[in-house]
């Protein structure tokens, strides 16, 4: 970890004025999480409670609450007598999360091939996929960055399938495991071609599940979730300083 504090500078979209009608800690945590996922706050970067409080015009209490939430999410770490840092990426944790997610989502696809999709889930996913393809088509046009919006639709697609199985804990597990992958997923969304590939993957997975094709569903889900490993390989080779020493 760097011992030298850096002056925190964030894009304006991450430093919105605190809405007094909503919990300040929740707003600060949400903004900082987005900044960490998009790498505006770099892995290993020190972040102080005082500086964050000044940045958002907030007192120490909500900032501490926000830091506690981010710590629980594995996005920051606190080192005794040294301060708070954006957590570095861990290759073993990423690989483990990818394996766990792929195993679970293959099982989800197989189960849905057997039981079918509820009409409301079909409608939700069809709307979601239409938006995904539209965002991919217009990504980077005239400076437009649709990464964050696409990331949300991506999450909602997978959670809609998980919820359709009917077991709430499945969605909770997926949410937890994807936290280890989110920064890499954001990196991949910088590419318009990759965003379009993901949208096509989602459409193909949905079509295979609707048709009850277990073999195709298994193959498509595994291939889709393997894409994050490709991003990991490239990014780790170019940005060794962002990763923990193994």
């Amino acid at each position: 970890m760097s011992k030298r504090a850096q002056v925190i500078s964030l894009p304006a979209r991450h430093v919105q004025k605190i809405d007094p009608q909503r919990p300040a800690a929740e707003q600060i945590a949400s903004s900082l999480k987005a900044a960490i996922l998009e790498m505006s706050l770099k892995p290993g970067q020190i972040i102080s409670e005082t500086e964050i409080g000044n940045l958002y015009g907030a007192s120490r209490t909500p900032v501490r609450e926000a830091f506690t939430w981010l710590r629980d999410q594995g996005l920051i770490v606190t080192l005794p007598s040294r301060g708070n840092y954006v957590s570095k990426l861990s290759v073993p944790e990423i690989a483990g999360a990818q394996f766990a997610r792929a195993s679970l989502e293959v099982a989800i696809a197989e189960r849905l091939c057997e039981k079918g999709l509820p009409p409301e889930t079909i409608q939700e996913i069809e709307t979601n996929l239409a938006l995904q393809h539209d965002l991919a088509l217009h990504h980077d046009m005239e400076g437009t960055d649709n990464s964050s919006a696409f990331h949300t639709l991506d999450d909602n697609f997978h959670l809609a399938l998980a919820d359709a199985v009917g077991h709430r804990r499945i969605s909770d597990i997926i949410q937890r495991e994807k936290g280890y992958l989110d920064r890499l997923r954001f990196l991949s969304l910088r590419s318009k071609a990759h965003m379009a590939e993901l949208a096509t993957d989602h459409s193909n997975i949905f079509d295979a599940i609707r048709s009850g094709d277990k073999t195709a569903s298994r193959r498509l889900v595994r291939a889709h979730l393997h894409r994050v490993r490709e991003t990991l390989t490239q990014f780790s080779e170019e940005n060794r300083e962002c990763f923990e020493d193994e």
Side-chain angles (χ1 to χ4, degrees), residues 64-100:
R64 283 184 172 173
E65 291 177 6
F67 274 40
T68 297
W69 186 87
L70 292 168
R71 194 177 299 112
D72 291 342
Q73 294 288 309
L75 295 174
I76 67 171
V77 293
T78 301
L79 302 181
S81 303
R82 294 180 63 183
N84 300 294
Y85 295 80
V86 177
S87 63
K88 287 196 172 187
L89 297 165
S90 166
V91 172
E93 285 187 346
I94 291 169
Q98 191 272 340
F99 177 82

PDB file of all heavy atoms in Angstrom, residues 64-100:
ATOM      1  N   ARG A  64     -18.017   7.663   8.464  1.00  0.00           N
ATOM      2  CA  ARG A  64     -17.584   6.413   9.109  1.00  0.00           C
ATOM      3  C   ARG A  64     -18.550   5.276   8.795  1.00  0.00           C
ATOM      4  O   ARG A  64     -18.131   4.133   8.573  1.00  0.00           O
ATOM      5  CB  ARG A  64     -17.476   6.616  10.620  1.00  0.00           C
ATOM      6  CG  ARG A  64     -16.227   7.360  11.047  1.00  0.00           C
ATOM      7  CD  ARG A  64     -16.115   7.445  12.548  1.00  0.00           C
ATOM      8  NE  ARG A  64     -14.826   7.993  12.955  1.00  0.00           N
ATOM      9  CZ  ARG A  64     -14.504   8.296  14.206  1.00  0.00           C
ATOM     10  NH1 ARG A  64     -15.385   8.111  15.178  1.00  0.00           N
ATOM     11  NH2 ARG A  64     -13.300   8.779  14.487  1.00  0.00           N
ATOM     12  N   GLU A  65     -19.846   5.583   8.787  1.00  0.00           N
ATOM     13  CA  GLU A  65     -20.832   4.559   8.447  1.00  0.00           C
ATOM     14  C   GLU A  65     -20.640   4.086   7.007  1.00  0.00           C
ATOM     15  O   GLU A  65     -20.740   2.890   6.709  1.00  0.00           O
ATOM     16  CB  GLU A  65     -22.244   5.123   8.629  1.00  0.00           C
ATOM     17  CG  GLU A  65     -22.629   5.373  10.083  1.00  0.00           C
ATOM     18  CD  GLU A  65     -24.003   5.997  10.203  1.00  0.00           C
ATOM     19  OE1 GLU A  65     -24.699   6.131   9.167  1.00  0.00           O
ATOM     20  OE2 GLU A  65     -24.394   6.367  11.333  1.00  0.00           O
ATOM     21  N   ALA A  66     -20.362   5.029   6.120  1.00  0.00           N
ATOM     22  CA  ALA A  66     -20.127   4.680   4.717  1.00  0.00           C
ATOM     23  C   ALA A  66     -18.891   3.803   4.579  1.00  0.00           C
ATOM     24  O   ALA A  66     -18.889   2.815   3.846  1.00  0.00           O
ATOM     25  CB  ALA A  66     -19.971   5.950   3.878  1.00  0.00           C
ATOM     26  N   PHE A  67     -17.839   4.147   5.315  1.00  0.00           N
ATOM     27  CA  PHE A  67     -16.610   3.362   5.260  1.00  0.00           C
ATOM     28  C   PHE A  67     -16.843   1.948   5.797  1.00  0.00           C
ATOM     29  O   PHE A  67     -16.285   0.983   5.278  1.00  0.00           O
ATOM     30  CB  PHE A  67     -15.502   4.059   6.049  1.00  0.00           C
ATOM     31  CG  PHE A  67     -14.725   5.084   5.260  1.00  0.00           C
ATOM     32  CD1 PHE A  67     -15.373   5.925   4.383  1.00  0.00           C
ATOM     33  CD2 PHE A  67     -13.357   5.214   5.409  1.00  0.00           C
ATOM     34  CE1 PHE A  67     -14.685   6.887   3.655  1.00  0.00           C
ATOM     35  CE2 PHE A  67     -12.646   6.150   4.693  1.00  0.00           C
ATOM     36  CZ  PHE A  67     -13.306   6.996   3.807  1.00  0.00           C
ATOM     37  N   THR A  68     -17.653   1.833   6.840  1.00  0.00           N
ATOM     38  CA  THR A  68     -17.954   0.512   7.392  1.00  0.00           C
ATOM     39  C   THR A  68     -18.661  -0.348   6.349  1.00  0.00           C
ATOM     40  O   THR A  68     -18.336  -1.536   6.172  1.00  0.00           O
ATOM     41  CB  THR A  68     -18.843   0.634   8.646  1.00  0.00           C
ATOM     42  OG1 THR A  68     -18.122   1.340   9.664  1.00  0.00           O
ATOM     43  CG2 THR A  68     -19.249  -0.732   9.170  1.00  0.00           C
ATOM     44  N   TRP A  69     -19.612   0.229   5.632  1.00  0.00           N
ATOM     45  CA  TRP A  69     -20.333  -0.505   4.593  1.00  0.00           C
ATOM     46  C   TRP A  69     -19.389  -0.923   3.474  1.00  0.00           C
ATOM     47  O   TRP A  69     -19.429  -2.080   3.015  1.00  0.00           O
ATOM     48  CB  TRP A  69     -21.461   0.364   4.040  1.00  0.00           C
ATOM     49  CG  TRP A  69     -22.356  -0.353   3.074  1.00  0.00           C
ATOM     50  CD1 TRP A  69     -23.454  -1.107   3.369  1.00  0.00           C
ATOM     51  CD2 TRP A  69     -22.219  -0.381   1.646  1.00  0.00           C
ATOM     52  NE1 TRP A  69     -24.013  -1.609   2.219  1.00  0.00           N
ATOM     53  CE2 TRP A  69     -23.283  -1.185   1.153  1.00  0.00           C
ATOM     54  CE3 TRP A  69     -21.316   0.188   0.763  1.00  0.00           C
ATOM     55  CZ2 TRP A  69     -23.441  -1.425  -0.211  1.00  0.00           C
ATOM     56  CZ3 TRP A  69     -21.478  -0.061  -0.597  1.00  0.00           C
ATOM     57  CH2 TRP A  69     -22.534  -0.850  -1.068  1.00  0.00           C
ATOM     58  N   LEU A  70     -18.512  -0.018   3.046  1.00  0.00           N
ATOM     59  CA  LEU A  70     -17.561  -0.329   1.978  1.00  0.00           C
ATOM     60  C   LEU A  70     -16.568  -1.399   2.429  1.00  0.00           C
ATOM     61  O   LEU A  70     -16.166  -2.258   1.634  1.00  0.00           O
ATOM     62  CB  LEU A  70     -16.807   0.939   1.556  1.00  0.00           C
ATOM     63  CG  LEU A  70     -17.649   2.005   0.859  1.00  0.00           C
ATOM     64  CD1 LEU A  70     -16.877   3.316   0.766  1.00  0.00           C
ATOM     65  CD2 LEU A  70     -18.057   1.545  -0.538  1.00  0.00           C
ATOM     66  N   ARG A  71     -16.216  -1.358   3.703  1.00  0.00           N
ATOM     67  CA  ARG A  71     -15.306  -2.373   4.252  1.00  0.00           C
ATOM     68  C   ARG A  71     -15.984  -3.745   4.231  1.00  0.00           C
ATOM     69  O   ARG A  71     -15.366  -4.756   3.873  1.00  0.00           O
ATOM     70  CB  ARG A  71     -14.902  -1.977   5.668  1.00  0.00           C
ATOM     71  CG  ARG A  71     -13.714  -2.742   6.225  1.00  0.00           C
ATOM     72  CD  ARG A  71     -13.348  -2.230   7.618  1.00  0.00           C
ATOM     73  NE  ARG A  71     -12.962  -0.818   7.595  1.00  0.00           N
ATOM     74  CZ  ARG A  71     -13.674   0.172   8.141  1.00  0.00           C
ATOM     75  NH1 ARG A  71     -14.814  -0.085   8.773  1.00  0.00           N
ATOM     76  NH2 ARG A  71     -13.243   1.414   8.081  1.00  0.00           N
ATOM     77  N   ASP A  72     -17.260  -3.770   4.600  1.00  0.00           N
ATOM     78  CA  ASP A  72     -18.009  -5.035   4.594  1.00  0.00           C
ATOM     79  C   ASP A  72     -18.146  -5.589   3.172  1.00  0.00           C
ATOM     80  O   ASP A  72     -18.241  -6.803   2.980  1.00  0.00           O
ATOM     81  CB  ASP A  72     -19.398  -4.836   5.197  1.00  0.00           C
ATOM     82  CG  ASP A  72     -19.353  -4.572   6.696  1.00  0.00           C
ATOM     83  OD1 ASP A  72     -18.314  -4.867   7.319  1.00  0.00           O
ATOM     84  OD2 ASP A  72     -20.365  -4.065   7.225  1.00  0.00           O
ATOM     85  N   GLN A  73     -18.166  -4.695   2.193  1.00  0.00           N
ATOM     86  CA  GLN A  73     -18.269  -5.102   0.794  1.00  0.00           C
ATOM     87  C   GLN A  73     -16.918  -5.515   0.206  1.00  0.00           C
ATOM     88  O   GLN A  73     -16.841  -5.946  -0.949  1.00  0.00           O
ATOM     89  CB  GLN A  73     -18.843  -3.949  -0.048  1.00  0.00           C
ATOM     90  CG  GLN A  73     -20.281  -3.593   0.271  1.00  0.00           C
ATOM     91  CD  GLN A  73     -21.254  -4.634  -0.215  1.00  0.00           C
ATOM     92  OE1 GLN A  73     -21.228  -5.035  -1.372  1.00  0.00           O
ATOM     93  NE2 GLN A  73     -22.126  -5.093   0.674  1.00  0.00           N
ATOM     94  N   GLY A  74     -15.851  -5.358   0.990  1.00  0.00           N
ATOM     95  CA  GLY A  74     -14.520  -5.716   0.524  1.00  0.00           C
ATOM     96  C   GLY A  74     -13.903  -4.691  -0.406  1.00  0.00           C
ATOM     97  O   GLY A  74     -12.909  -4.973  -1.092  1.00  0.00           O
ATOM     98  N   LEU A  75     -14.455  -3.471  -0.414  1.00  0.00           N
ATOM     99  CA  LEU A  75     -13.954  -2.440  -1.328  1.00  0.00           C
ATOM    100  C   LEU A  75     -12.882  -1.556  -0.701  1.00  0.00           C
ATOM    101  O   LEU A  75     -12.114  -0.915  -1.418  1.00  0.00           O
ATOM    102  CB  LEU A  75     -15.116  -1.578  -1.831  1.00  0.00           C
ATOM    103  CG  LEU A  75     -16.134  -2.340  -2.697  1.00  0.00           C
ATOM    104  CD1 LEU A  75     -17.320  -1.449  -3.030  1.00  0.00           C
ATOM    105  CD2 LEU A  75     -15.481  -2.850  -3.985  1.00  0.00           C
ATOM    106  N   ILE A  76     -12.849  -1.487   0.637  1.00  0.00           N
ATOM    107  CA  ILE A  76     -11.756  -0.795   1.308  1.00  0.00           C
ATOM    108  C   ILE A  76     -11.241  -1.686   2.433  1.00  0.00           C
ATOM    109  O   ILE A  76     -11.946  -2.567   2.917  1.00  0.00           O
ATOM    110  CB  ILE A  76     -12.161   0.592   1.865  1.00  0.00           C
ATOM    111  CG1 ILE A  76     -13.171   0.443   3.013  1.00  0.00           C
ATOM    112  CG2 ILE A  76     -12.691   1.499   0.780  1.00  0.00           C
ATOM    113  CD1 ILE A  76     -13.431   1.761   3.739  1.00  0.00           C
ATOM    114  N   VAL A  77     -10.002  -1.429   2.813  1.00  0.00           N
ATOM    115  CA  VAL A  77      -9.393  -2.135   3.945  1.00  0.00           C
ATOM    116  C   VAL A  77      -8.812  -1.084   4.885  1.00  0.00           C
ATOM    117  O   VAL A  77      -8.413   0.002   4.457  1.00  0.00           O
ATOM    118  CB  VAL A  77      -8.284  -3.114   3.494  1.00  0.00           C
ATOM    119  CG1 VAL A  77      -8.874  -4.247   2.688  1.00  0.00           C
ATOM    120  CG2 VAL A  77      -7.201  -2.383   2.703  1.00  0.00           C
ATOM    121  N   THR A  78      -8.787  -1.411   6.168  1.00  0.00           N
ATOM    122  CA  THR A  78      -8.233  -0.518   7.171  1.00  0.00           C
ATOM    123  C   THR A  78      -7.013  -1.185   7.789  1.00  0.00           C
ATOM    124  O   THR A  78      -7.102  -2.302   8.299  1.00  0.00           O
ATOM    125  CB  THR A  78      -9.262  -0.201   8.266  1.00  0.00           C
ATOM    126  OG1 THR A  78     -10.414   0.408   7.661  1.00  0.00           O
ATOM    127  CG2 THR A  78      -8.673   0.771   9.299  1.00  0.00           C
ATOM    128  N   LEU A  79      -5.880  -0.497   7.710  1.00  0.00           N
ATOM    129  CA  LEU A  79      -4.643  -1.019   8.271  1.00  0.00           C
ATOM    130  C   LEU A  79      -4.318  -0.256   9.547  1.00  0.00           C
ATOM    131  O   LEU A  79      -4.305   0.982   9.547  1.00  0.00           O
ATOM    132  CB  LEU A  79      -3.497  -0.863   7.261  1.00  0.00           C
ATOM    133  CG  LEU A  79      -3.709  -1.549   5.907  1.00  0.00           C
ATOM    134  CD1 LEU A  79      -2.504  -1.341   5.010  1.00  0.00           C
ATOM    135  CD2 LEU A  79      -3.988  -3.033   6.082  1.00  0.00           C
ATOM    136  N   PRO A  80      -4.083  -0.952  10.645  1.00  0.00           N
ATOM    137  CA  PRO A  80      -3.797  -0.295  11.934  1.00  0.00           C
ATOM    138  C   PRO A  80      -2.667   0.724  11.812  1.00  0.00           C
ATOM    139  O   PRO A  80      -1.617   0.436  11.235  1.00  0.00           O
ATOM    140  CB  PRO A  80      -3.392  -1.467  12.843  1.00  0.00           C
ATOM    141  CG  PRO A  80      -4.068  -2.654  12.233  1.00  0.00           C
ATOM    142  CD  PRO A  80      -4.042  -2.426  10.742  1.00  0.00           C
ATOM    143  N   SER A  81      -2.936   1.915  12.333  1.00  0.00           N
ATOM    144  CA  SER A  81      -1.960   3.013  12.373  1.00  0.00           C
ATOM    145  C   SER A  81      -1.575   3.538  10.990  1.00  0.00           C
ATOM    146  O   SER A  81      -0.665   4.362  10.883  1.00  0.00           O
ATOM    147  CB  SER A  81      -0.674   2.585  13.110  1.00  0.00           C
ATOM    148  OG  SER A  81      -0.978   2.138  14.419  1.00  0.00           O
ATOM    149  N   ARG A  82      -2.281   3.070   9.953  1.00  0.00           N
ATOM    150  CA  ARG A  82      -1.933   3.532   8.600  1.00  0.00           C
ATOM    151  C   ARG A  82      -3.115   4.143   7.862  1.00  0.00           C
ATOM    152  O   ARG A  82      -2.931   4.973   6.989  1.00  0.00           O
ATOM    153  CB  ARG A  82      -1.346   2.377   7.784  1.00  0.00           C
ATOM    154  CG  ARG A  82      -0.005   1.884   8.335  1.00  0.00           C
ATOM    155  CD  ARG A  82       0.540   0.741   7.506  1.00  0.00           C
ATOM    156  NE  ARG A  82       0.817   1.148   6.144  1.00  0.00           N
ATOM    157  CZ  ARG A  82       1.249   0.303   5.200  1.00  0.00           C
ATOM    158  NH1 ARG A  82       1.397  -0.979   5.474  1.00  0.00           N
ATOM    159  NH2 ARG A  82       1.499   0.738   3.989  1.00  0.00           N
ATOM    160  N   GLY A  83      -4.341   3.734   8.179  1.00  0.00           N
ATOM    161  CA  GLY A  83      -5.497   4.360   7.553  1.00  0.00           C
ATOM    162  C   GLY A  83      -6.309   3.434   6.677  1.00  0.00           C
ATOM    163  O   GLY A  83      -6.150   2.208   6.711  1.00  0.00           O
ATOM    164  N   ASN A  84      -7.180   4.054   5.899  1.00  0.00           N
ATOM    165  CA  ASN A  84      -8.087   3.326   5.014  1.00  0.00           C
ATOM    166  C   ASN A  84      -7.581   3.379   3.577  1.00  0.00           C
ATOM    167  O   ASN A  84      -7.158   4.434   3.100  1.00  0.00           O
ATOM    168  CB  ASN A  84      -9.483   3.956   5.074  1.00  0.00           C
ATOM    169  CG  ASN A  84     -10.073   3.910   6.476  1.00  0.00           C
ATOM    170  OD1 ASN A  84     -10.360   2.850   7.006  1.00  0.00           O
ATOM    171  ND2 ASN A  84     -10.259   5.080   7.082  1.00  0.00           N
ATOM    172  N   TYR A  85      -7.658   2.241   2.898  1.00  0.00           N
ATOM    173  CA  TYR A  85      -7.190   2.140   1.527  1.00  0.00           C
ATOM    174  C   TYR A  85      -8.243   1.441   0.666  1.00  0.00           C
ATOM    175  O   TYR A  85      -8.971   0.575   1.146  1.00  0.00           O
ATOM    176  CB  TYR A  85      -5.898   1.312   1.447  1.00  0.00           C
ATOM    177  CG  TYR A  85      -4.708   1.934   2.130  1.00  0.00           C
ATOM    178  CD1 TYR A  85      -4.557   1.836   3.504  1.00  0.00           C
ATOM    179  CD2 TYR A  85      -3.738   2.609   1.395  1.00  0.00           C
ATOM    180  CE1 TYR A  85      -3.462   2.405   4.144  1.00  0.00           C
ATOM    181  CE2 TYR A  85      -2.638   3.173   2.029  1.00  0.00           C
ATOM    182  CZ  TYR A  85      -2.501   3.069   3.396  1.00  0.00           C
ATOM    183  OH  TYR A  85      -1.417   3.637   4.031  1.00  0.00           O
ATOM    184  N   VAL A  86      -8.285   1.823  -0.598  1.00  0.00           N
ATOM    185  CA  VAL A  86      -9.085   1.064  -1.555  1.00  0.00           C
ATOM    186  C   VAL A  86      -8.433  -0.313  -1.667  1.00  0.00           C
ATOM    187  O   VAL A  86      -7.220  -0.417  -1.829  1.00  0.00           O
ATOM    188  CB  VAL A  86      -9.108   1.756  -2.930  1.00  0.00           C
ATOM    189  CG1 VAL A  86      -9.884   0.906  -3.941  1.00  0.00           C
ATOM    190  CG2 VAL A  86      -9.722   3.149  -2.817  1.00  0.00           C
ATOM    191  N   SER A  87      -9.222  -1.358  -1.534  1.00  0.00           N
ATOM    192  CA  SER A  87      -8.654  -2.705  -1.559  1.00  0.00           C
ATOM    193  C   SER A  87      -8.049  -3.001  -2.929  1.00  0.00           C
ATOM    194  O   SER A  87      -8.563  -2.570  -3.963  1.00  0.00           O
ATOM    195  CB  SER A  87      -9.715  -3.748  -1.224  1.00  0.00           C
ATOM    196  OG  SER A  87     -10.742  -3.744  -2.190  1.00  0.00           O
ATOM    197  N   LYS A  88      -6.954  -3.744  -2.885  1.00  0.00           N
ATOM    198  CA  LYS A  88      -6.364  -4.192  -4.141  1.00  0.00           C
ATOM    199  C   LYS A  88      -7.118  -5.422  -4.638  1.00  0.00           C
ATOM    200  O   LYS A  88      -7.844  -6.077  -3.897  1.00  0.00           O
ATOM    201  CB  LYS A  88      -4.881  -4.511  -3.932  1.00  0.00           C
ATOM    202  CG  LYS A  88      -4.013  -3.263  -3.752  1.00  0.00           C
ATOM    203  CD  LYS A  88      -2.544  -3.588  -3.930  1.00  0.00           C
ATOM    204  CE  LYS A  88      -1.710  -2.315  -3.944  1.00  0.00           C
ATOM    205  NZ  LYS A  88      -0.291  -2.597  -4.284  1.00  0.00           N
ATOM    206  N   LEU A  89      -6.949  -5.707  -5.905  1.00  0.00           N
ATOM    207  CA  LEU A  89      -7.585  -6.865  -6.506  1.00  0.00           C
ATOM    208  C   LEU A  89      -6.815  -8.126  -6.134  1.00  0.00           C
ATOM    209  O   LEU A  89      -5.593  -8.098  -5.982  1.00  0.00           O
ATOM    210  CB  LEU A  89      -7.626  -6.717  -8.030  1.00  0.00           C
ATOM    211  CG  LEU A  89      -8.464  -5.533  -8.536  1.00  0.00           C
ATOM    212  CD1 LEU A  89      -8.143  -5.256  -9.992  1.00  0.00           C
ATOM    213  CD2 LEU A  89      -9.935  -5.802  -8.376  1.00  0.00           C
ATOM    214  N   SER A  90      -7.517  -9.226  -5.985  1.00  0.00           N
ATOM    215  CA  SER A  90      -6.905 -10.498  -5.630  1.00  0.00           C
ATOM    216  C   SER A  90      -7.234 -11.528  -6.701  1.00  0.00           C
ATOM    217  O   SER A  90      -8.408 -11.836  -6.936  1.00  0.00           O
ATOM    218  CB  SER A  90      -7.429 -10.980  -4.272  1.00  0.00           C
ATOM    219  OG  SER A  90      -7.093 -12.336  -4.054  1.00  0.00           O
ATOM    220  N   VAL A  91      -6.217 -12.046  -7.356  1.00  0.00           N
ATOM    221  CA  VAL A  91      -6.432 -13.047  -8.403  1.00  0.00           C
ATOM    222  C   VAL A  91      -7.134 -14.294  -7.860  1.00  0.00           C
ATOM    223  O   VAL A  91      -8.104 -14.775  -8.458  1.00  0.00           O
ATOM    224  CB  VAL A  91      -5.108 -13.416  -9.093  1.00  0.00           C
ATOM    225  CG1 VAL A  91      -5.298 -14.603 -10.041  1.00  0.00           C
ATOM    226  CG2 VAL A  91      -4.558 -12.213  -9.869  1.00  0.00           C
ATOM    227  N   PRO A  92      -6.706 -14.853  -6.701  1.00  0.00           N
ATOM    228  CA  PRO A  92      -7.407 -16.033  -6.172  1.00  0.00           C
ATOM    229  C   PRO A  92      -8.877 -15.753  -5.843  1.00  0.00           C
ATOM    230  O   PRO A  92      -9.747 -16.597  -6.110  1.00  0.00           O
ATOM    231  CB  PRO A  92      -6.621 -16.376  -4.901  1.00  0.00           C
ATOM    232  CG  PRO A  92      -5.260 -15.834  -5.148  1.00  0.00           C
ATOM    233  CD  PRO A  92      -5.487 -14.571  -5.917  1.00  0.00           C
ATOM    234  N   GLU A  93      -9.167 -14.580  -5.264  1.00  0.00           N
ATOM    235  CA  GLU A  93     -10.561 -14.269  -4.932  1.00  0.00           C
ATOM    236  C   GLU A  93     -11.407 -14.117  -6.195  1.00  0.00           C
ATOM    237  O   GLU A  93     -12.555 -14.567  -6.243  1.00  0.00           O
ATOM    238  CB  GLU A  93     -10.627 -13.001  -4.086  1.00  0.00           C
ATOM    239  CG  GLU A  93     -10.199 -13.192  -2.646  1.00  0.00           C
ATOM    240  CD  GLU A  93     -10.432 -11.953  -1.817  1.00  0.00           C
ATOM    241  OE1 GLU A  93     -10.679 -10.867  -2.394  1.00  0.00           O
ATOM    242  OE2 GLU A  93     -10.362 -12.071  -0.576  1.00  0.00           O
ATOM    243  N   ILE A  94     -10.843 -13.478  -7.203  1.00  0.00           N
ATOM    244  CA  ILE A  94     -11.565 -13.296  -8.464  1.00  0.00           C
ATOM    245  C   ILE A  94     -11.829 -14.649  -9.117  1.00  0.00           C
ATOM    246  O   ILE A  94     -12.935 -14.931  -9.587  1.00  0.00           O
ATOM    247  CB  ILE A  94     -10.773 -12.372  -9.412  1.00  0.00           C
ATOM    248  CG1 ILE A  94     -10.778 -10.938  -8.861  1.00  0.00           C
ATOM    249  CG2 ILE A  94     -11.357 -12.406 -10.824  1.00  0.00           C
ATOM    250  CD1 ILE A  94      -9.819 -10.006  -9.570  1.00  0.00           C
ATOM    251  N   ALA A  95     -10.809 -15.501  -9.138  1.00  0.00           N
ATOM    252  CA  ALA A  95     -10.968 -16.826  -9.741  1.00  0.00           C
ATOM    253  C   ALA A  95     -12.000 -17.644  -8.978  1.00  0.00           C
ATOM    254  O   ALA A  95     -12.835 -18.338  -9.584  1.00  0.00           O
ATOM    255  CB  ALA A  95      -9.626 -17.552  -9.764  1.00  0.00           C
ATOM    256  N   GLY A  96     -11.968 -17.562  -7.648  1.00  0.00           N
ATOM    257  CA  GLY A  96     -12.936 -18.304  -6.840  1.00  0.00           C
ATOM    258  C   GLY A  96     -14.353 -17.810  -7.047  1.00  0.00           C
ATOM    259  O   GLY A  96     -15.299 -18.602  -7.140  1.00  0.00           O
ATOM    260  N   ALA A  97     -14.509 -16.483  -7.116  1.00  0.00           N
ATOM    261  CA  ALA A  97     -15.843 -15.911  -7.324  1.00  0.00           C
ATOM    262  C   ALA A  97     -16.381 -16.280  -8.699  1.00  0.00           C
ATOM    263  O   ALA A  97     -17.574 -16.581  -8.854  1.00  0.00           O
ATOM    264  CB  ALA A  97     -15.781 -14.394  -7.160  1.00  0.00           C
ATOM    265  N   GLN A  98     -15.506 -16.266  -9.699  1.00  0.00           N
ATOM    266  CA  GLN A  98     -15.936 -16.623 -11.043  1.00  0.00           C
ATOM    267  C   GLN A  98     -16.373 -18.079 -11.108  1.00  0.00           C
ATOM    268  O   GLN A  98     -17.396 -18.414 -11.720  1.00  0.00           O
ATOM    269  CB  GLN A  98     -14.791 -16.360 -12.037  1.00  0.00           C
ATOM    270  CG  GLN A  98     -15.190 -16.442 -13.511  1.00  0.00           C
ATOM    271  CD  GLN A  98     -15.083 -17.846 -14.067  1.00  0.00           C
ATOM    272  OE1 GLN A  98     -14.391 -18.690 -13.510  1.00  0.00           O
ATOM    273  NE2 GLN A  98     -15.782 -18.103 -15.170  1.00  0.00           N
ATOM    274  N   PHE A  99     -15.646 -18.956 -10.429  1.00  0.00           N
ATOM    275  CA  PHE A  99     -15.995 -20.378 -10.404  1.00  0.00           C
ATOM    276  C   PHE A  99     -17.338 -20.589  -9.701  1.00  0.00           C
ATOM    277  O   PHE A  99     -18.211 -21.319 -10.182  1.00  0.00           O
ATOM    278  CB  PHE A  99     -14.901 -21.172  -9.691  1.00  0.00           C
ATOM    279  CG  PHE A  99     -15.202 -22.633  -9.558  1.00  0.00           C
ATOM    280  CD1 PHE A  99     -14.966 -23.505 -10.608  1.00  0.00           C
ATOM    281  CD2 PHE A  99     -15.752 -23.144  -8.384  1.00  0.00           C
ATOM    282  CE1 PHE A  99     -15.263 -24.869 -10.493  1.00  0.00           C
ATOM    283  CE2 PHE A  99     -16.053 -24.492  -8.260  1.00  0.00           C
ATOM    284  CZ  PHE A  99     -15.809 -25.354  -9.317  1.00  0.00           C
ATOM    285  N   ALA A 100     -17.500 -19.928  -8.527  1.00  0.00           N
ATOM    286  CA  ALA A 100     -18.739 -20.080  -7.758  1.00  0.00           C
ATOM    287  C   ALA A 100     -19.932 -19.562  -8.548  1.00  0.00           C
ATOM    288  O   ALA A 100     -21.000 -20.192  -8.594  1.00  0.00           O
ATOM    289  CB  ALA A 100     -18.618 -19.345  -6.428  1.00  0.00           C
TER     290      ALA A 100
END
